[in-house]
Amino acid sequence: MLRRTAYALLVLALAGAATACGRPAPDPEDAENARGPVKVWLSNNAQEVAWGKNMIAAWNRSHPGQHATAQQIPAGKTSEEAISASIIAGTSACLVFNTAPASVPTFEKQNGLVPLSDFPDGDAYVQKRGGALTEQYKSQDGKFYQLPWKSNPVMILYNKKIFKKAGLDPEHPRLATYSQFLKTSRTLVHSGAAKAAIWPAPSSEFFQSWYDFYPAFAAESSGEQLIQHGKPQFDSPAGRRAAAFWRTLYAEKLAPQEAYPGDAVNDGKAAMATVGPWAVSAYKDSVDIGVAPVPTAAGKSPKDTYSFSDEKSAAMFSACHNRATAWDLLKFATSAQQDGKFLDATGQMPMREDLTARYPAFFAKKPLYKVFARQAEHVVEVPNVPGSVDIWQAFRDEWTKSVVFGDGSTDAALRRASDKISRLLDEYGDPS
Amino acid sequence: MTHPGITATTGSHPPRKDAASRHGRARSRTGALFVTPYVLFLLVVFAVPLVYTLWISVHRFYFTAPGTHADSPWVGLSNYKDVFTDPVVGRAFLNIAVFLVINVPLTVVLALVLASVLNAKIRFRAFFRAAYYLPYITASVALVAVWQFLFGADGFVNNLLGSHAPDPSWLVNSHLAMPMIAFFVTWKQLGFFVMLYLAALQNVGKELYEAASVDGAGRVRQFLSVTVPGVRPATTLVVIYAIITGANLFSEPYLLTGGGGPDHASTSPVLLMYQKGIEQGHPDFAAALGVVLVCFVLVISLAARKLTEKGN
């Protein structure tokens, strides 16, 4: 009797463990036309959360029976990890307004995303809203799995007070060329005005290159992506110049080799940072901010200078049961009216063309953002290729070794990274 | 002679034996009932994942949304080949070797010496015992903050050392990062091992020390000739436990050196499993690495056991 009970308990436990591993996925055909309650996840940026709550409240007022709820993405080291875990568990929200394009190929592979192109007006809506910039967000099968939602074009933000303390002109900073940038950095550090001229995270996480190398490479190469036409582009004169520039910053201790545990700019430890417009409102009470384009070797006019977009998309996830409602909500949240409210609340740039003409009142009221809005028209995205995370990690490993810690030549490091990434592209391109 | 309270019964088995047998079976069933939850726990939490890990490690596998189809073709030892040819894996195992070479002997020596001192009648003994145990029960995250305050580039130690401070600094220096983690973990876990030795010291007979004293042995000779052999079983336990926990190092490099440090200078195999399996979406590689790590731990634990029990 007891033996039978023990066996029964064992079977029950194993069955329970097996079924607890995942929730059943909704049938795509039923879900596509289904309406009802939907869940939305937002980033943890305070202004963005405030906008999201207001947007959801506006939706709920006019859509009884299709109730939406919003919350921040569950905690994780990064949003991408939290989203990936939720895909595997079948617990992701219908819509996530913080999807990194570099992770989209991974989410696709996990069958976690709903192709927006499958909605009758899907492609038309995405392309109409985003204009010419939209094409780079298409996946390899030609479909959109993400709606390019907002960009935070990376620029050089500097602390005017620290510049003044170092005897530099805060209204006309000399930051356009590599030699000017280095000279200004030396003055900032050697004068004791700041511990670091600039302090990006020197750590090995794959995404850290988006805030040191990639903006510099985009600017120096006049808008090339890391990979184009299936080939790495950075083992080039432009890439080598950008890498050499950063190596000098680290070698001369103008940029520290150890990650700062807090916010170096906010704490007055660093005079500059490579950040997007989100930082304007974040620092408004603590730092007197100035903004400059990313430097290049010879210097370029701001309107010809490219940078990294630091874009985040909105995406629909396959755990969503009421996809017709989710699609309507996605269009509502990215409408011209809501984009205006989003811009006003957060200072981040909706992925639309000609922002300054579309929202003139905002830019007249807050001219500092106009610089970012212009930069938003000259940005490059991470390449939308399978194995994106592996590719960035391969690059970052070589970068930290040679550029941050000065081990070996940067040219050789770029060559090794390029070779490794070429092999990864071959592997991912040939799933057999 | 028959017990006055027991009536004799007829049958092929003597009544006393039959009763004892029934009693034994009943005890056995009760025991099984008590053991069942733990057996289930082991099966569900340990055995099933272990078998699943072995299965994943010989297939091309990635996690997908529930209810959706994904091919997981058999790839044989391909994932293991990737593991053995990846230079980062080699570096991670080298890092762990450095860690164990520092951590295990240091743990054994410090824990035994401190336990011997704390076993003696000294003033504030309870306070010192609690003080050594405190880091063990404190969350790693909190202790990492203390360590960073001390050994960060701008930290207390570097301010004392001035121009003699290492460059790059302690936690990002490819030669110093792993030893720093080893010292951190030794300090953090010392209290637990001191406690193990304190328990073992209670079983070392006082008469042995008295005999050694009569023979003219000093404190050091008594320690080497009585204490060390007397706690040998505990030493085996301490060494194996330190090896197992050391080989599974994760949170310290993750928190202390920002996820593996420069050029993977402090990447551990478990941290690499996390990065490959979770961050980079290669659970098959991570599973193969996990199996290799289990074998590694088994081999060195067995070797350490042989070594510590030698001459027993």
Side-chain angles (χ1 to χ4, degrees):
Chain A
M1 172 66 190
L2 270 169
R3 189 179 292 176
R4 281 203 300 274
T5 309
Y7 283 139
L9 278 170
L10 174 64
V11 170
L12 269 175
L14 293 177
T19 50
C21 288
R23 295 181 184 181
D27 179 69
E29 282 179 19
D30 293 344
E32 192 178 333
N33 299 309
R35 293 187 178 277
V38 290
K39 265 195 304 183
V40 172
W41 283 352
L42 305 161
S43 81
N44 59 6
N45 174 286
Q47 291 92 359
E48 219 170 305
V49 172
W51 164 81
K53 300 270 182 190
N54 288 335
M55 180 274 291
I56 291 293
W59 166 269
N60 286 336
R61 277 195 296 274
S62 53
H63 295 83
Q66 299 179 71
H67 188 77
T69 50
Q71 65 168 78
Q72 293 179 40
I73 292 175
K77 187 187 169 199
T78 61
S79 299
E80 290 70 42
E81 276 177 37
I83 295 169
S84 181
S86 74
I87 289 172
I88 297 160
T91 56
S92 42
C94 274
L95 297 169
V96 178
F97 283 85
N98 197 34
T99 306
S103 294
V104 165
T106 308
F107 297 161
E108 272 181 69
K109 198 175 170 187
Q110 293 178 324
N111 300 323
L113 293 173
V114 175
L116 302 179
S117 299
D118 286 359
F119 290 99
D121 57 342
D123 280 352
Y125 180 76
V126 174
Q127 281 163 335
K128 189 179 167 212
R129 181 181 178 275
L133 291 169
T134 340
E135 206 54 26
Q136 55 188 334
Y137 297 92
K138 245 183 195 169
S139 289
Q140 282 208 324
D141 63 359
K143 289 184 179 182
F144 286 112
Y145 288 81
Q146 56 185 320
L147 183 142
W149 174 47
K150 59 159 186 177
S151 75
N152 271 295
V154 170
M155 299 188 77
I156 303 293
L157 178 145
Y158 63 93
N159 185 328
K160 286 184 177 177
K161 277 188 186 160
I162 292 180
F163 269 57
K164 207 170 174 182
K165 194 175 162 192
L168 298 164
D169 180 358
E171 301 308 324
H172 304 94
R174 292 177 59 76
L175 297 168
T177 67
Y178 287 164
S179 61
Q180 285 177 358
F181 195 98
L182 289 169
K183 198 175 169 193
T184 298
S185 298
R186 287 176 195 124
T187 307
L188 286 163
V189 173
H190 298 159
S191 67
K195 176 177 166 49
I198 193 163
W199 203 331
S203 44
S204 300
E205 293 100 339
F206 71 90
F207 52 85
Q208 300 295 4
S209 296
W210 302 343
Y211 308 102
D212 44 37
F213 171 73
Y214 205 37
F217 174 64
E220 190 61 23
S221 66
S222 297
E224 280 188 20
Q225 284 188 304
L226 192 83
I227 294 159
Q228 278 177 203
H229 315 299
K231 287 196 168 66
Q233 302 297 314
F234 55 85
D235 184 20
S236 63
R240 287 191 278 274
R241 284 196 293 271
F245 164 65
W246 273 100
R247 171 134 168 187
T248 308
L249 283 167
Y250 283 111
E252 294 188 20
K253 309 291 178 196
L254 305 171
Q257 291 163 310
E258 190 170 353
Y260 187 72
D263 186 323
V265 171
N266 205 35
D267 296 349
K269 300 286 183 188
M272 296 184 279
T274 43
V275 288
W278 61 266
V280 176
S281 55
Y283 293 146
K284 71 178 188 310
D285 298 326
S286 54
V287 183
D288 188 6
I289 294 165
V291 180
V294 174
T296 53
K300 288 179 181 173
S301 71
K303 68 178 174 59
D304 294 328
T305 306
Y306 279 80
S307 186
F308 168 56
S309 66
D310 198 12
E311 190 268 352
K312 293 289 184 293
S313 295
M316 191 185 297
F317 286 78
S318 57
C320 185
H321 286 265
N322 298 311
R323 295 180 190 171
T325 296
W327 175 235
D328 285 348
L329 176 56
L330 181 58
K331 288 189 285 187
F332 173 80
T334 56
S335 62
Q337 189 197 22
Q338 281 300 330
D339 280 348
K341 289 183 176 177
F342 178 75
L343 176 66
D344 201 39
T346 68
Q348 300 178 58
M349 307 292 142
M351 286 288 286
R352 289 176 173 274
E353 289 180 317
D354 212 4
L355 275 174
T356 48
R358 190 178 284 271
Y359 303 104
F362 172 81
F363 290 106
K365 197 169 64 184
K366 297 178 177 174
L368 195 57
Y369 285 102
K370 204 182 268 186
V371 187
F372 285 104
R374 289 193 188 119
Q375 183 68 73
E377 290 171 12
H378 293 85
V379 285
V380 292
E381 189 44 75
V382 295
N384 192 345
V385 290
S388 182
V389 173
D390 282 10
I391 285 165
W392 282 106
Q393 188 65 60
F395 180 86
R396 191 68 187 172
D397 287 347
E398 292 294 344
W399 175 270
T400 49
K401 189 175 180 179
S402 74
V403 174
V404 179
F405 291 98
D407 184 359
S409 89
T410 53
D411 290 3
L414 290 183
R415 201 171 315 122
R416 280 195 302 273
S418 182
D419 291 345
K420 191 166 179 190
I421 289 170
S422 295
R423 284 198 297 276
L424 285 170
L425 286 167
D426 287 344
E427 281 172 30
Y428 278 99
D430 179 14
S432 64
Chain B
M1 184 183 150
T2 309
H3 191 280
I6 295 176
T7 311
T9 54
T10 54
S12 55
H13 298 294
R16 188 181 286 270
K17 196 178 171 188
D18 195 39
S21 173
R22 274 204 307 275
H23 182 64
R25 278 203 299 275
R27 275 171 63 101
S28 165
R29 283 172 188 163
T30 312
L33 193 66
F34 278 115
V35 164
T36 302
Y38 188 65
V39 171
L40 287 175
F41 173 80
L42 275 182
L43 282 171
V44 173
V45 176
F46 184 73
V48 172
L50 185 67
V51 172
Y52 194 38
T53 301
L54 285 168
W55 185 88
I56 290 173
S57 74
V58 289
H59 289 81
R60 178 173 291 135
F61 182 87
Y62 52 92
F63 293 115
T64 54
T68 61
H69 173 74
D71 287 332
S72 299
W74 161 267
V75 293
L77 297 177
S78 168
N79 290 320
Y80 289 93
K81 190 182 154 206
D82 290 346
V83 165
F84 284 113
T85 54
D86 188 333
V88 181
V89 174
R91 177 77 203 236
F93 276 95
L94 182 69
N95 289 340
I96 279 298
V98 170
F99 175 90
L100 293 177
V101 163
I102 296 170
N103 171 261
V104 176
L106 203 59
T107 298
V108 170
V109 172
L110 286 178
L112 184 52
V113 169
L114 283 170
S116 300
V117 173
L118 293 174
N119 198 40
K121 285 178 180 152
I122 55 166
R123 291 182 75 184
F124 307 114
R125 190 167 69 167
F127 168 77
F128 284 118
R129 283 182 178 181
Y132 283 110
Y133 198 64
L134 204 59
Y136 180 69
I137 54 168
T138 306
S140 284
V141 179
L143 296 178
V144 160
V146 175
W147 215 251
Q148 278 174 337
F149 164 76
L150 290 172
F151 293 102
D154 235 3
F156 181 75
V157 173
N158 278 4
N159 284 334
L160 280 181
L161 292 174
S163 59
H164 299 293
D167 181 24
S169 192
W170 305 94
L171 301 173
V172 292
N173 187 306
S174 64
H175 302 295
L176 296 175
M178 208 62 212
M180 289 305 293
I181 290 173
F183 290 128
F184 174 82
V185 174
T186 306
W187 169 71
K188 185 184 182 318
Q189 295 191 332
L190 201 58
F192 175 71
F193 295 113
V194 167
M195 196 182 69
L196 286 182
Y197 271 127
L198 271 172
L201 284 170
Q202 310 309 311
N203 294 325
V204 182
K206 295 266 189 298
E207 67 280 3
L208 293 174
Y209 290 102
E210 287 163 10
S213 182
V214 168
D215 287 346
R219 284 190 182 277
V220 174
R221 172 51 60 196
Q222 284 181 32
F223 177 79
L224 293 174
S225 300
V226 179
T227 307
V228 173
V231 296
R232 199 188 291 274
T235 302
T236 304
L237 179 66
V238 167
V239 167
I240 291 175
Y241 194 80
I243 288 171
I244 292 170
T245 51
N248 286 300
L249 191 72
F250 173 80
S251 54
E252 285 77 11
Y254 181 77
L255 296 168
L256 203 58
T257 61
D263 193 22
H264 302 286
S266 54
T267 297
S268 67
V270 178
L271 182 61
L272 195 58
M273 281 167 66
Y274 165 75
Q275 288 170 336
K276 290 280 186 184
I278 306 296
E279 286 186 342
Q280 297 170 27
H282 296 299
D284 43 8
F285 182 100
L289 178 55
V291 173
V292 172
L293 180 64
V294 168
C295 297
F296 171 80
V297 173
L298 274 175
V299 168
I300 57 166
S301 296
L302 285 173
R305 188 177 169 182
K306 289 259 179 218
L307 208 66
T308 51
E309 289 180 347
K310 205 173 170 187
N312 224 3

